Amino acid sequence: MAKLLIIASSTGKNLQLALDIQAAAEVHGHEVDVMDLCELDLPMYTPESEKENLGNEVIESSMKRILWCKGMIVCAPEYNGSIPPVLNNFVAWVSVQSSNFRLLFNKRNVGLASASGGGGHHVVMVMRMMFSYVGSNVLGRSIIVNKSKSLNPDAVEEMIDGVLK
């Protein structure tokens, strides 16, 4: 079966969302890797910190995890109408540390999901722009879970199928 990487861009509800998606994918025999960006504890990216962290093992390992997968699902909460800092920081690191960061994202299918206290639509819009910009094939439909909308198992199945095509 296919290899799926699920990126959790916060602890709490979005990590739980990632684990729920993992469970659904594993039922169908897919290999799943959940990458908790908070657990990676990457330093804040700056041009100065880039020089100090050349060859950083955590960043190198993270890039290998992306290359390993056929498709990705990114779970992120909405932070002030945008993406969480940990996700932006992660993409900055892998884009500057890779000799060819386009290889990480270009033509890779990406699904977007959010468990947010607010609506979650802004974070999905910003992630769609970012992952499209780096060359990913972003699925048209997303998963949004909030106070008034619970997780739809059918949407999870469709997203898994979409990113693993």
Side-chain angles (χ1 to χ4, degrees), residues 109-159:
N109 293 335
V110 175
L112 306 175
S114 178
S116 291
H121 296 283
H122 290 101
V123 68
V124 168
M125 179 179 61
V126 174
M127 287 193 296
R128 182 175 310 285
M129 288 187 319
M130 179 174 66
F131 285 104
S132 294
Y133 182 81
V134 295
S136 298
N137 299 321
V138 181
L139 297 186
R141 295 190 70 183
S142 56
I143 293 173
I144 295 179
V145 178
N146 56 38
K147 316 179 248 203
S148 60
K149 188 175 180 189
S150 60
L151 183 60
N152 179 341
D154 293 334
V156 172
E157 296 288 333
E158 288 177 24
M159 182 168 285

Tab-separated table of all heavy atoms in Angstrom, residues 109-159:
chain	number	residue	atom	x	y	z
A	109	ASN	N	1.195	15.300	-3.898
A	109	ASN	CA	-0.180	15.564	-3.508
A	109	ASN	C	-0.238	15.934	-2.032
A	109	ASN	O	0.365	15.259	-1.192
A	109	ASN	CB	-1.060	14.335	-3.759
A	109	ASN	CG	-1.198	14.027	-5.233
A	109	ASN	OD1	-1.059	14.896	-6.082
A	109	ASN	ND2	-1.486	12.782	-5.549
A	110	VAL	N	-0.965	17.015	-1.736
A	110	VAL	CA	-1.076	17.513	-0.367
A	110	VAL	C	-2.541	17.791	-0.051
A	110	VAL	O	-3.229	18.476	-0.804
A	110	VAL	CB	-0.247	18.813	-0.169
A	110	VAL	CG1	-0.461	19.394	1.216
A	110	VAL	CG2	1.233	18.549	-0.408
A	111	GLY	N	-2.991	17.245	1.078
A	111	GLY	CA	-4.316	17.535	1.594
A	111	GLY	C	-4.187	18.468	2.783
A	111	GLY	O	-3.204	18.401	3.527
A	112	LEU	N	-5.156	19.328	2.973
A	112	LEU	CA	-5.109	20.323	4.041
A	112	LEU	C	-6.238	20.096	5.029
A	112	LEU	O	-7.383	19.857	4.632
A	112	LEU	CB	-5.219	21.730	3.449
A	112	LEU	CG	-4.197	22.065	2.354
A	112	LEU	CD1	-4.483	23.435	1.759
A	112	LEU	CD2	-2.782	21.988	2.894
A	113	ALA	N	-5.899	20.170	6.320
A	113	ALA	CA	-6.888	19.949	7.372
A	113	ALA	C	-6.629	20.915	8.519
A	113	ALA	O	-5.493	21.313	8.767
A	113	ALA	CB	-6.812	18.506	7.865
A	114	SER	N	-7.705	21.263	9.220
A	114	SER	CA	-7.572	22.169	10.351
A	114	SER	C	-8.599	21.844	11.421
A	114	SER	O	-9.771	21.632	11.124
A	114	SER	CB	-7.770	23.619	9.902
A	114	SER	OG	-7.685	24.493	11.012
A	115	ALA	N	-8.127	21.808	12.653
A	115	ALA	CA	-9.000	21.792	13.825
A	115	ALA	C	-8.742	23.127	14.505
A	115	ALA	O	-7.662	23.357	15.040
A	115	ALA	CB	-8.668	20.625	14.736
A	116	SER	N	-9.716	24.019	14.418
A	116	SER	CA	-9.505	25.383	14.904
A	116	SER	C	-10.656	25.835	15.775
A	116	SER	O	-11.801	25.446	15.556
A	116	SER	CB	-9.375	26.357	13.734
A	116	SER	OG	-8.183	26.141	13.035
A	117	GLY	N	-10.319	26.692	16.739
A	117	GLY	CA	-11.343	27.298	17.572
A	117	GLY	C	-12.235	28.217	16.761
A	117	GLY	O	-13.427	28.339	17.011
A	118	GLY	N	-11.650	28.838	15.762
A	118	GLY	CA	-12.421	29.687	14.851
A	118	GLY	C	-12.902	28.849	13.681
A	118	GLY	O	-13.108	27.652	13.794
A	119	GLY	N	-13.047	29.475	12.551
A	119	GLY	CA	-13.570	28.762	11.388
A	119	GLY	C	-12.605	27.797	10.735
A	119	GLY	O	-12.985	26.761	10.233
A	120	GLY	N	-11.315	28.154	10.689
A	120	GLY	CA	-10.326	27.298	10.050
A	120	GLY	C	-10.145	27.556	8.563
A	120	GLY	O	-9.230	27.020	7.949
A	121	HIS	N	-10.990	28.377	7.979
A	121	HIS	CA	-10.916	28.602	6.529
A	121	HIS	C	-9.714	29.456	6.133
A	121	HIS	O	-9.127	29.252	5.068
A	121	HIS	CB	-12.210	29.237	6.014
A	121	HIS	CG	-13.386	28.338	6.191
A	121	HIS	ND1	-13.623	27.262	5.371
A	121	HIS	CD2	-14.367	28.327	7.131
A	121	HIS	CE1	-14.713	26.630	5.771
A	121	HIS	NE2	-15.188	27.257	6.846
A	122	HIS	N	-9.327	30.406	6.965
A	122	HIS	CA	-8.177	31.256	6.633
A	122	HIS	C	-6.883	30.449	6.601
A	122	HIS	O	-6.059	30.627	5.703
A	122	HIS	CB	-8.054	32.422	7.620
A	122	HIS	CG	-9.125	33.434	7.472
A	122	HIS	ND1	-10.218	33.499	8.302
A	122	HIS	CD2	-9.295	34.424	6.564
A	122	HIS	CE1	-11.003	34.477	7.925
A	122	HIS	NE2	-10.466	35.065	6.864
A	123	VAL	N	-6.673	29.574	7.582
A	123	VAL	CA	-5.441	28.783	7.602
A	123	VAL	C	-5.376	27.876	6.374
A	123	VAL	O	-4.311	27.705	5.779
A	123	VAL	CB	-5.264	27.994	8.918
A	123	VAL	CG1	-6.296	26.894	9.076
A	123	VAL	CG2	-3.859	27.405	9.006
A	124	VAL	N	-6.495	27.309	5.980
A	124	VAL	CA	-6.509	26.457	4.786
A	124	VAL	C	-6.161	27.274	3.551
A	124	VAL	O	-5.387	26.831	2.701
A	124	VAL	CB	-7.874	25.735	4.646
A	124	VAL	CG1	-8.023	25.090	3.276
A	124	VAL	CG2	-8.034	24.697	5.753
A	125	MET	N	-6.692	28.493	3.454
A	125	MET	CA	-6.401	29.357	2.308
A	125	MET	C	-4.899	29.685	2.249
A	125	MET	O	-4.278	29.607	1.186
A	125	MET	CB	-7.216	30.648	2.402
A	125	MET	CG	-6.974	31.626	1.278
A	125	MET	SD	-7.977	33.118	1.421
A	125	MET	CE	-7.436	33.793	2.986
A	126	VAL	N	-4.298	30.018	3.394
A	126	VAL	CA	-2.882	30.368	3.413
A	126	VAL	C	-2.023	29.137	3.102
A	126	VAL	O	-1.054	29.221	2.337
A	126	VAL	CB	-2.484	31.011	4.765
A	126	VAL	CG1	-0.986	31.248	4.834
A	126	VAL	CG2	-3.241	32.321	4.961
A	127	MET	N	-2.383	27.971	3.671
A	127	MET	CA	-1.622	26.746	3.365
A	127	MET	C	-1.751	26.396	1.889
A	127	MET	O	-0.776	25.961	1.266
A	127	MET	CB	-2.105	25.572	4.220
A	127	MET	CG	-1.696	25.652	5.661
A	127	MET	SD	-1.951	24.086	6.579
A	127	MET	CE	-3.732	23.880	6.521
A	128	ARG	N	-2.926	26.604	1.325
A	128	ARG	CA	-3.131	26.315	-0.101
A	128	ARG	C	-2.191	27.166	-0.952
A	128	ARG	O	-1.552	26.675	-1.883
A	128	ARG	CB	-4.589	26.591	-0.481
A	128	ARG	CG	-4.936	26.272	-1.925
A	128	ARG	CD	-6.421	26.440	-2.222
A	128	ARG	NE	-7.292	25.758	-1.275
A	128	ARG	CZ	-7.497	24.446	-1.228
A	128	ARG	NH1	-6.873	23.665	-2.088
A	128	ARG	NH2	-8.309	23.924	-0.338
A	129	MET	N	-2.079	28.442	-0.616
A	129	MET	CA	-1.168	29.327	-1.369
A	129	MET	C	0.278	28.868	-1.201
A	129	MET	O	1.032	28.793	-2.175
A	129	MET	CB	-1.319	30.780	-0.915
A	129	MET	CG	-2.612	31.404	-1.362
A	129	MET	SD	-2.782	33.191	-1.035
A	129	MET	CE	-2.115	33.413	0.576
A	130	MET	N	0.686	28.567	0.039
A	130	MET	CA	2.075	28.203	0.290
A	130	MET	C	2.449	26.899	-0.413
A	130	MET	O	3.459	26.834	-1.108
A	130	MET	CB	2.332	28.077	1.793
A	130	MET	CG	3.772	27.684	2.111
A	130	MET	SD	4.154	27.684	3.874
A	130	MET	CE	3.142	26.351	4.468
A	131	PHE	N	1.642	25.857	-0.230
A	131	PHE	CA	2.003	24.569	-0.827
A	131	PHE	C	1.864	24.581	-2.343
A	131	PHE	O	2.624	23.909	-3.040
A	131	PHE	CB	1.222	23.428	-0.171
A	131	PHE	CG	1.756	23.091	1.200
A	131	PHE	CD1	1.083	23.497	2.331
A	131	PHE	CD2	2.959	22.416	1.349
A	131	PHE	CE1	1.584	23.215	3.596
A	131	PHE	CE2	3.474	22.136	2.601
A	131	PHE	CZ	2.787	22.533	3.727
A	132	SER	N	0.942	25.355	-2.884
A	132	SER	CA	0.862	25.514	-4.342
A	132	SER	C	2.101	26.229	-4.863
A	132	SER	O	2.667	25.852	-5.890
A	132	SER	CB	-0.388	26.310	-4.733
A	132	SER	OG	-1.545	25.602	-4.416
A	133	TYR	N	2.536	27.250	-4.136
A	133	TYR	CA	3.714	28.020	-4.542
A	133	TYR	C	4.965	27.141	-4.633
A	133	TYR	O	5.783	27.317	-5.532
A	133	TYR	CB	3.959	29.174	-3.565
A	133	TYR	CG	5.130	30.024	-3.965
A	133	TYR	CD1	4.998	31.006	-4.938
A	133	TYR	CD2	6.390	29.834	-3.387
A	133	TYR	CE1	6.082	31.780	-5.328
A	133	TYR	CE2	7.471	30.600	-3.775
A	133	TYR	CZ	7.315	31.566	-4.749
A	133	TYR	OH	8.384	32.317	-5.138
A	134	VAL	N	5.109	26.192	-3.702
A	134	VAL	CA	6.295	25.336	-3.738
A	134	VAL	C	6.112	24.135	-4.658
A	134	VAL	O	6.968	23.258	-4.718
A	134	VAL	CB	6.754	24.891	-2.320
A	134	VAL	CG1	7.219	26.089	-1.519
A	134	VAL	CG2	5.681	24.103	-1.591
A	135	GLY	N	4.993	24.112	-5.400
A	135	GLY	CA	4.829	23.132	-6.458
A	135	GLY	C	3.976	21.924	-6.142
A	135	GLY	O	3.864	21.009	-6.958
A	136	SER	N	3.348	21.897	-4.986
A	136	SER	CA	2.522	20.746	-4.621
A	136	SER	C	1.190	20.765	-5.363
A	136	SER	O	0.702	21.820	-5.765
A	136	SER	CB	2.244	20.749	-3.115
A	136	SER	OG	3.437	20.644	-2.386
A	137	ASN	N	0.624	19.587	-5.513
A	137	ASN	CA	-0.729	19.437	-6.046
A	137	ASN	C	-1.662	19.420	-4.836
A	137	ASN	O	-1.814	18.393	-4.178
A	137	ASN	CB	-0.875	18.126	-6.819
A	137	ASN	CG	0.066	18.057	-8.001
A	137	ASN	OD1	0.281	19.038	-8.685
A	137	ASN	ND2	0.629	16.888	-8.222
A	138	VAL	N	-2.251	20.550	-4.527
A	138	VAL	CA	-3.099	20.674	-3.346
A	138	VAL	C	-4.518	20.259	-3.707
A	138	VAL	O	-5.084	20.761	-4.680
A	138	VAL	CB	-3.077	22.118	-2.795
A	138	VAL	CG1	-3.944	22.230	-1.553
A	138	VAL	CG2	-1.645	22.551	-2.484
A	139	LEU	N	-5.062	19.337	-2.913
A	139	LEU	CA	-6.433	18.892	-3.150
A	139	LEU	C	-7.395	20.072	-3.026
A	139	LEU	O	-7.212	20.951	-2.179
A	139	LEU	CB	-6.844	17.822	-2.143
A	139	LEU	CG	-6.076	16.500	-2.161
A	139	LEU	CD1	-6.720	15.525	-1.189
A	139	LEU	CD2	-6.005	15.901	-3.547
A	140	GLY	N	-8.434	20.069	-3.829
A	140	GLY	CA	-9.408	21.152	-3.811
A	140	GLY	C	-10.244	21.187	-2.538
A	140	GLY	O	-10.597	22.254	-2.058
A	141	ARG	N	-10.557	20.025	-1.984
A	141	ARG	CA	-11.367	19.969	-0.765
A	141	ARG	C	-10.464	19.805	0.442
A	141	ARG	O	-9.437	19.149	0.381
A	141	ARG	CB	-12.347	18.808	-0.847
A	141	ARG	CG	-13.359	19.042	-1.980
A	141	ARG	CD	-14.469	18.078	-1.946
A	141	ARG	NE	-15.309	18.362	-0.782
A	141	ARG	CZ	-16.350	17.636	-0.458
A	141	ARG	NH1	-16.669	16.601	-1.191
A	141	ARG	NH2	-17.074	17.937	0.596
A	142	SER	N	-10.884	20.394	1.538
A	142	SER	CA	-10.111	20.319	2.783
A	142	SER	C	-10.998	19.751	3.889
A	142	SER	O	-12.196	19.587	3.710
A	142	SER	CB	-9.601	21.705	3.165
A	142	SER	OG	-10.689	22.603	3.268
A	143	ILE	N	-10.369	19.473	5.009
A	143	ILE	CA	-11.089	19.026	6.196
A	143	ILE	C	-11.001	20.138	7.224
A	143	ILE	O	-9.899	20.591	7.551
A	143	ILE	CB	-10.478	17.736	6.765
A	143	ILE	CG1	-10.684	16.577	5.790
A	143	ILE	CG2	-11.069	17.409	8.140
A	143	ILE	CD1	-9.968	15.301	6.195
A	144	ILE	N	-12.145	20.571	7.712
A	144	ILE	CA	-12.178	21.594	8.761
A	144	ILE	C	-13.038	21.076	9.905
A	144	ILE	O	-14.175	20.654	9.688
A	144	ILE	CB	-12.705	22.936	8.230
A	144	ILE	CG1	-11.726	23.496	7.196
A	144	ILE	CG2	-12.931	23.917	9.373
A	144	ILE	CD1	-12.118	24.806	6.576
A	145	VAL	N	-12.443	21.088	11.088
A	145	VAL	CA	-13.134	20.672	12.309
A	145	VAL	C	-13.114	21.871	13.252
A	145	VAL	O	-12.068	22.480	13.459
A	145	VAL	CB	-12.427	19.467	12.968
A	145	VAL	CG1	-13.121	19.064	14.250
A	145	VAL	CG2	-12.337	18.292	11.991
A	146	ASN	N	-14.285	22.226	13.779
A	146	ASN	CA	-14.362	23.319	14.751
A	146	ASN	C	-15.543	23.076	15.689
A	146	ASN	O	-16.130	21.989	15.659
A	146	ASN	CB	-14.423	24.683	14.057
A	146	ASN	CG	-15.561	24.798	13.077
A	146	ASN	OD1	-16.657	24.289	13.302
A	146	ASN	ND2	-15.311	25.482	11.964
A	147	LYS	N	-15.889	24.056	16.486
A	147	LYS	CA	-16.967	23.896	17.475
A	147	LYS	C	-18.280	23.440	16.862
A	147	LYS	O	-19.029	22.699	17.466
A	147	LYS	CB	-17.245	25.194	18.236
A	147	LYS	CG	-16.100	25.974	18.704
A	147	LYS	CD	-16.586	27.230	19.399
A	147	LYS	CE	-16.199	28.403	18.548
A	147	LYS	NZ	-16.106	29.642	19.259
A	148	SER	N	-18.549	23.887	15.669
A	148	SER	CA	-19.834	23.571	15.054
A	148	SER	C	-19.747	22.496	13.974
A	148	SER	O	-20.748	22.177	13.343
A	148	SER	CB	-20.465	24.840	14.477
A	148	SER	OG	-19.616	25.406	13.506
A	149	LYS	N	-18.541	21.953	13.755
A	149	LYS	CA	-18.386	20.961	12.685
A	149	LYS	C	-17.440	19.855	13.145
A	149	LYS	O	-16.248	20.093	13.349
A	149	LYS	CB	-17.843	21.646	11.434
A	149	LYS	CG	-17.819	20.770	10.221
A	149	LYS	CD	-17.394	21.552	8.993
A	149	LYS	CE	-17.389	20.638	7.793
A	149	LYS	NZ	-16.802	21.272	6.639
A	150	SER	N	-17.976	18.646	13.284
A	150	SER	CA	-17.155	17.519	13.726
A	150	SER	C	-16.476	16.848	12.525
A	150	SER	O	-16.798	17.137	11.367
A	150	SER	CB	-18.007	16.511	14.503
A	150	SER	OG	-19.045	16.028	13.679
A	151	LEU	N	-15.558	15.968	12.820
A	151	LEU	CA	-14.806	15.272	11.777
A	151	LEU	C	-15.730	14.341	10.997
A	151	LEU	O	-16.432	13.517	11.577
A	151	LEU	CB	-13.650	14.482	12.405
A	151	LEU	CG	-12.727	13.745	11.446
A	151	LEU	CD1	-12.064	14.721	10.478
A	151	LEU	CD2	-11.668	12.980	12.227
A	152	ASN	N	-15.707	14.473	9.686
A	152	ASN	CA	-16.514	13.651	8.801
A	152	ASN	C	-15.656	12.489	8.293
A	152	ASN	O	-14.729	12.710	7.516
A	152	ASN	CB	-17.018	14.507	7.633
A	152	ASN	CG	-17.838	13.731	6.638
A	152	ASN	OD1	-17.798	12.514	6.562
A	152	ASN	ND2	-18.599	14.469	5.832
A	153	PRO	N	-15.957	11.252	8.705
A	153	PRO	CA	-15.160	10.100	8.275
A	153	PRO	C	-15.094	9.936	6.758
A	153	PRO	O	-14.066	9.510	6.222
A	153	PRO	CB	-15.854	8.901	8.928
A	153	PRO	CG	-16.642	9.478	10.051
A	153	PRO	CD	-17.025	10.863	9.631
A	154	ASP	N	-16.177	10.283	6.055
A	154	ASP	CA	-16.160	10.183	4.591
A	154	ASP	C	-15.169	11.168	3.979
A	154	ASP	O	-14.472	10.851	3.008
A	154	ASP	CB	-17.557	10.434	4.018
A	154	ASP	CG	-18.544	9.331	4.400
A	154	ASP	OD1	-18.108	8.186	4.646
A	154	ASP	OD2	-19.754	9.630	4.454
A	155	ALA	N	-15.079	12.374	4.552
A	155	ALA	CA	-14.119	13.365	4.061
A	155	ALA	C	-12.689	12.891	4.288
A	155	ALA	O	-11.809	13.113	3.449
A	155	ALA	CB	-14.350	14.709	4.741
A	156	VAL	N	-12.461	12.228	5.418
A	156	VAL	CA	-11.125	11.679	5.704
A	156	VAL	C	-10.764	10.630	4.656
A	156	VAL	O	-9.658	10.656	4.102
A	156	VAL	CB	-11.070	11.088	7.128
A	156	VAL	CG1	-9.764	10.336	7.357
A	156	VAL	CG2	-11.252	12.182	8.176
A	157	GLU	N	-11.676	9.730	4.370
A	157	GLU	CA	-11.432	8.686	3.357
A	157	GLU	C	-11.133	9.294	1.994
A	157	GLU	O	-10.195	8.876	1.305
A	157	GLU	CB	-12.646	7.746	3.246
A	157	GLU	CG	-12.947	6.957	4.497
A	157	GLU	CD	-11.966	5.851	4.781
A	157	GLU	OE1	-11.359	5.324	3.823
A	157	GLU	OE2	-11.796	5.510	5.966
A	158	GLU	N	-11.927	10.304	1.616
A	158	GLU	CA	-11.714	10.958	0.313
A	158	GLU	C	-10.356	11.646	0.260
A	158	GLU	O	-9.666	11.602	-0.762
A	158	GLU	CB	-12.820	11.974	0.049
A	158	GLU	CG	-14.155	11.360	-0.265
A	158	GLU	CD	-15.248	12.390	-0.449
A	158	GLU	OE1	-14.935	13.562	-0.784
A	158	GLU	OE2	-16.418	12.021	-0.262
A	159	MET	N	-9.947	12.293	1.370
A	159	MET	CA	-8.661	12.969	1.376
A	159	MET	C	-7.520	11.967	1.269
A	159	MET	O	-6.566	12.176	0.520
A	159	MET	CB	-8.488	13.842	2.614
A	159	MET	CG	-7.152	14.596	2.615
A	159	MET	SD	-7.049	15.864	3.864
A	159	MET	CE	-8.085	17.128	3.129
